[in-house]
Amino acid sequence: MTTAALPSGTEPLDVLVVEDDTAVATEFVDCLSRAGLRCAHAPDGWQALRMVAAPREVAIVLADLRMPELDGLQFAEHLQRLANGTRPEIIFVSGYPEFNDAVRAIQLEARDLLVKPVEPDALVRSVKSALLVRALRAQSTADAAVEAEPATPVQRNKASLQSLRAVRRIRSRYFPSELFSDPCWEMLLDLYDCLLSGQNATVTSLAAASGATTTTAWRRLGALQGHGLIERAEDPEDKRRTLVRLTEAGRRAVEDFFDTYSRSQHQ
């Protein structure tokens, strides 16, 4: 695998590896890519700063402490000038870190300081831990912004929906998806989201949103309909499609859940 830096773009990156040793960079990128993380490589701190400043989100920077021209600590000092919402989490790597390096890394709010050679499992654990911290911090910031303004019930429910989906995204990084394979709950959330946004939901769109096959989606929708939570109707504009929506009882059940969930978050 080549570690040439990706061109400027808008695609988000989980990890930007900043390392002047091409062999080490290749090892890191390969290891993290096998763990399902989106990675790119910058051969020096200046190029890394340009990539972080590009119109794309970089979640984590894995930076060598010892680099020519702009070392890892100097690079991190430049990152400190970025706004909190755009500044990546940083993890340092070094073959021979000194005590002063560790102290300065803490001052620069680094998430970790790894010593080369880095075991693959330790590298992935460190990066995923930093990703989890970043995701939870972002959610906390979003929740605080919602709390700062008077919220209508619909706004509170939308915030709860976003919070639950954030938990789902975080969960998917750490647990096999088959442990949470029943699509009923995901389809209910998607139906409520469609209700709030005034969009139509179809069996196909619900299957895609929940990660289920169309056959499984039909079967689970039958169970939801049997409980009086949803109803199905032929699309008047396209007879080949079946529209799905929450019943009044289904809407009340979801909103009662969100009300209880929202109150529990503030206790």
Side-chain angles (χ1 to χ4, degrees), residues 160-237:
S160 294
L161 186 60
Q162 290 170 356
S163 177
L164 288 168
R165 284 179 167 167
V167 170
R168 181 178 64 187
R169 288 193 298 271
I170 297 168
R171 184 189 69 194
S172 68
R173 291 183 179 275
Y174 297 93
F175 300 99
S177 58
E178 59 266 23
L179 294 180
F180 308 92
S181 57
D182 194 305
C184 284
W185 179 238
E186 301 298 338
M187 290 193 290
L188 284 172
L189 290 182
D190 200 55
L191 283 167
Y192 188 69
D193 195 11
C194 288
L195 176 66
L196 293 179
S197 58
Q199 296 178 337
N200 288 324
T202 65
V203 175
T204 302
S205 68
L206 290 170
S210 65
T213 63
T214 303
T215 302
T216 300
W218 271 108
R219 187 168 60 251
R220 302 312 288 150
L221 286 171
L224 290 171
Q225 189 168 14
H227 286 285
L229 297 172
I230 68 159
E231 56 189 8
R232 290 179 278 189
E234 188 179 77
D235 186 346
E237 297 180 0

Side-chain angles (χ1 to χ4, degrees), residues 92-165:
F92 288 121
V93 183
S94 178
Y96 44 94
E98 299 175 357
F99 176 76
N100 289 339
D101 294 331
V103 172
R104 187 62 184 135
I106 292 171
Q107 292 172 338
L108 291 168
E109 300 179 352
R111 286 287 139 213
D112 209 344
L113 173 55
L114 303 174
V115 180
K116 297 178 182 176
V118 183
E119 290 294 326
D121 288 349
L123 176 63
V124 172
R125 268 198 314 272
S126 179
V127 169
K128 288 196 171 183
S129 175
L131 284 169
L132 178 59
V133 168
R134 181 179 177 83
L136 292 175
R137 180 182 294 169
Q139 188 56 47
S140 216
T141 301
D143 290 344
V146 170
E147 290 176 8
E149 301 177 1
T152 66
V154 169
Q155 288 171 327
R156 285 197 300 270
N157 291 345
K158 283 184 176 180
S160 294
L161 186 60
Q162 290 170 356
S163 177
L164 288 168
R165 284 179 167 167

Side-chain angles (χ1 to χ4, degrees), residues 11-155:
E11 66 278 12
L13 290 174
D14 293 314
V15 190
L16 175 60
V17 176
V18 189
E19 170 64 67
D20 61 309
D21 187 322
T22 303
V24 173
T26 299
E27 181 182 337
F28 287 163
V29 169
D30 285 351
C31 174
L32 294 170
S33 296
R34 286 195 300 270
L37 300 171
R38 296 161 296 185
C39 305
H41 169 229
D44 59 70
W46 293 116
Q47 186 163 340
L49 286 173
R50 289 193 293 273
M51 294 177 72
V52 170
R56 63 144 62 91
E57 179 187 354
V58 177
I60 308 295
V61 170
L62 181 70
D64 191 2
L65 275 179
R66 309 280 182 247
M67 293 186 293
E69 295 189 31
L70 188 70
D71 66 27
L73 294 173
Q74 292 169 329
F75 167 72
E77 288 169 357
H78 282 277
L79 288 185
Q80 289 289 96
R81 301 170 191 169
L82 298 176
N84 279 334
T86 61
R87 187 167 65 236
E89 302 291 332
I90 187 161
I91 297 171
F92 288 121
V93 183
S94 178
Y96 44 94
E98 299 175 357
F99 176 76
N100 289 339
D101 294 331
V103 172
R104 187 62 184 135
I106 292 171
Q107 292 172 338
L108 291 168
E109 300 179 352
R111 286 287 139 213
D112 209 344
L113 173 55
L114 303 174
V115 180
K116 297 178 182 176
V118 183
E119 290 294 326
D121 288 349
L123 176 63
V124 172
R125 268 198 314 272
S126 179
V127 169
K128 288 196 171 183
S129 175
L131 284 169
L132 178 59
V133 168
R134 181 179 177 83
L136 292 175
R137 180 182 294 169
Q139 188 56 47
S140 216
T141 301
D143 290 344
V146 170
E147 290 176 8
E149 301 177 1
T152 66
V154 169
Q155 288 171 327

